[in-house]
Amino acid sequence: MKQLNVNRKARRSLRHKRLTNRLKREDNQKPRLVVSKSNNHLIAQIVDDTVGKTLVCSSTKQLKKTATVATATLVGEDLAKKAIAKNIKEVVFDRGGSPYHGQIKALATAARSGGLKF
């Protein structure tokens, strides 16, 4: 599906929809770790798609910091700590259509080192 006249936001939305649908099809028994990124903040939450509820959430808003690679690491560690406390050990990583580098990669690495498997 090649669309040349679509802006950057729409392309990211298409990638996110495609990735999310694939993750829901393949690993429907595991909760999803969803990462949302804006210019100022980074939000990560673990969602159970079978029930449609957010199980655990962490963000730079809660930490009262702006989004950088260092704060993404803090968000990943905080999310992993909260997930382990709720007995969630395995998740599926949904990067939200963003490329896997920078803040997204730092959050994923910190969550893995905190004890989550994906």
Side-chain angles (χ1 to χ4, degrees):
M1 180 165 117
K2 195 170 191 179
Q3 295 183 357
L4 299 175
N5 297 325
V6 180
N7 61 9
R8 184 185 327 180
K9 188 175 182 180
R11 285 193 316 248
R12 192 203 63 77
S13 178
L14 286 172
R15 280 193 309 269
H16 186 204
K17 188 186 296 185
R18 187 172 55 233
L19 178 68
T20 303
N21 286 337
R22 182 177 59 84
L23 291 175
K24 284 181 182 178
R25 264 194 326 265
E26 291 176 359
D27 296 318
N28 55 4
Q29 71 275 11
K30 295 179 188 174
R32 260 185 322 133
L33 192 157
V34 184
V35 180
S36 301
K37 184 177 148 185
S38 72
N39 287 341
N40 296 326
H41 293 289
L42 187 69
I43 303 162
Q45 53 189 351
I46 297 178
V47 178
D48 186 7
D49 289 321
T50 58
V51 185
K53 286 192 174 185
T54 301
L55 304 173
V56 179
C57 181
S58 181
S59 70
T60 54
K61 290 179 185 180
Q62 292 175 347
L63 299 176
K64 297 192 181 357
K65 298 181 185 253
T66 57
T68 61
V69 173
T71 55
T73 303
L74 294 175
V75 170
E77 291 170 354
D78 185 44
L79 186 77
K81 184 171 51 172
K82 289 179 182 178
I84 296 297
K86 288 201 171 191
N87 204 15
I88 301 170
K89 292 184 171 71
E90 288 191 16
V91 294
V92 177
F93 189 65
D94 184 358
R95 57 188 165 82
S98 301
Y100 186 80
H101 65 80
Q103 295 174 10
I104 305 294
K105 185 176 181 180
L107 186 138
T109 305
R112 279 189 188 110
S113 67
L116 287 179
K117 289 186 179 183
F118 51 92

